[in-house]
Amino acid sequence: METSPLHSALGVRVTGLDFDCLSEPATAEALAVLLARHQVVLLRDQELSAEDFVTFCRAFGDLELLPEPDKRHPEFPEIFRLTNVKPDGSLTLPDEPQAVFLRGTSRWHTDSSFRAIPCLATALYAREVTPVGGETEFANMVSAYENLEDEEREELEGLEAVHSYAFSRANNPGRVEPMSEEERRLVPDVSHPVVRCHSDGRRSIYLGGHVSHLAGQAVETSRAKVRALEERLTAVGNVYRHSWRKGDLLIWDNRTTLHRLIPYEIGRYPRSLWRCTVSGSEPVVGP
């Protein structure tokens, strides 16, 4: 196994591994170390079945089931299908709910932050990619914290943010059906510290598109403050843009990064990726 950096701010590419190696516990342990250290890990030219992909992801921990059943793989519900391709092979129209959902992922976010115990990591496996657009950007939220002035760090360390799946879903760019009361009960709003402390001593900014507002502050003004902060902290040279190739297997640490989709023409180019989300095991801890 050999490694090379993806970007000066974060990310590492691993070469020399096929699925037989990926399925070995020692390999998973080595990749977990790289993930914690570099935040984003890339393996290219992988040929994986749905079962292979789930087996690989389970080596990192239990897997979440995402809230929307219609987007799950029919045989392996742990796989969330990120695609604009319908079962009949046609492409999703720009105003259809799936297109609205896909456009929503173009906001900076961290997966499953709307859970009381958010996820550890996410893996994406590229099955079909676009010739133009469709890249994914990753921002290092550890370096974002470290680049803050002391006064702002102290201010943010005393704050909590309200993470809401209902808010982020309703604010996807386009028309979506409102969540039912039963659906909302399954994913109630939660609050997490804005500054997240990690077991290795690092601290990171923990925000993203699921954040509705800052706890205890006026919703609209604090919401604007959060969005401005996200924009500023992802414009300081700490972002890696990944250009997808078929067969890419990418896994990232949701605890210390934000990510977003670069838009593409949903009604023109087919794009299909499988996603698995590795469950977290501990709540977000603040200073």
Side-chain angles (χ1 to χ4, degrees):
M1 182 172 70
E2 298 180 355
T3 63
S4 57
L6 291 174
H7 188 275
S8 59
L10 74 168
V12 64
R13 179 182 175 184
V14 177
T15 55
L17 294 179
D18 57 18
F19 179 71
D20 289 338
C21 295
L22 293 180
S23 60
E24 296 176 359
T27 302
E29 291 175 9
L31 291 176
V33 171
L34 290 175
L35 182 66
R37 182 181 302 158
H38 298 283
Q39 302 165 278
V40 177
V41 175
L42 168 67
L43 299 96
R44 299 209 111 134
D45 304 317
Q46 300 297 312
E47 296 184 10
L48 305 178
S49 67
E51 184 176 7
D52 292 340
F53 181 52
V54 170
T55 298
F56 167 77
C57 295
R58 280 181 178 155
F60 293 90
D62 295 333
L63 302 182
E64 291 185 355
L65 291 182
L66 275 294
E68 301 182 57
D70 60 306
K71 297 181 176 66
R72 298 175 190 162
H73 190 283
E75 296 180 59
F76 297 91
E78 302 93 338
I79 296 177
F80 195 67
R81 296 177 297 176
L82 289 173
T83 182
N84 63 334
V85 182
K86 299 180 182 180
D88 64 5
S90 64
L91 297 185
T92 301
L93 298 176
D95 59 347
E96 291 182 319
Q98 178 67 359
V100 175
F101 166 78
L102 291 171
R103 287 198 298 272
T105 64
S106 63
R107 296 173 299 193
W108 287 111
H109 63 287
T110 180
D111 294 332
S112 295
S113 69
F114 52 82
R115 297 184 187 274
I117 297 182
C119 68
L120 167 67
T122 297
L124 281 186
Y125 176 55
R127 305 180 69 241
E128 191 167 15
V129 300
T130 61
V132 179
E135 301 95 339
T136 303
E137 288 189 331
F138 298 90
N140 185 337
M141 289 293 101
V142 175
S143 63
Y145 170 82
E146 292 172 347
N147 285 324
L148 292 172
E149 298 291 338
D150 290 345
E151 183 177 344
E152 188 170 19
R153 283 188 201 173
E154 292 177 7
E155 176 190 357
L156 295 177
E157 286 171 359
L159 299 178
E160 290 200 347
V162 177
H163 294 245
S164 169
Y165 184 76
F167 163 77
S168 60
R169 184 179 184 275
N171 282 274
N172 283 338
R175 184 182 180 278
V176 291
E177 292 296 325
M179 294 177 68
S180 67
E181 287 302 316
E182 181 179 356
E183 289 174 323
R184 291 179 68 97
R185 282 196 295 271
L186 292 174
V187 281
D189 294 356
V190 297
S191 293
H192 298 304
V194 170
V195 175
R196 183 170 187 169
C197 296
H198 305 278
S199 58
D200 60 4
R202 294 179 301 169
R203 295 184 178 186
S204 62
I205 300 297
Y206 195 67
L207 292 172
H210 294 303
V211 170
S212 167
H213 59 282
L214 297 174
Q217 297 190 18
V219 171
E220 293 303 323
T221 54
S222 68
R223 184 174 291 167
K225 181 179 179 180
V226 167
R227 301 286 90 89
L229 180 61
E230 290 169 352
E231 182 176 354
R232 178 159 56 89
L233 295 183
T234 53
V236 290
N238 63 338
V239 174
Y240 163 64
R241 176 178 287 196
H242 181 67
S243 296
W244 289 95
R245 294 190 340 208
K246 184 177 179 179
D248 279 358
L249 175 57
L250 195 70
I251 184 167
W252 66 89
D253 189 334
N254 276 293
R255 300 168 300 180
T256 60
T257 62
L258 292 178
H259 64 280
R260 68 177 178 181
L261 169 72
I262 300 301
Y264 66 100
E265 293 186 61
I266 290 176
R268 181 179 180 185
Y269 298 121
R271 184 178 188 267
S272 179
L273 296 95
W274 285 341
R275 165 184 161 182
C276 278
T277 308
V278 182
S279 299
S281 59
E282 55 191 23
V284 179
V285 176

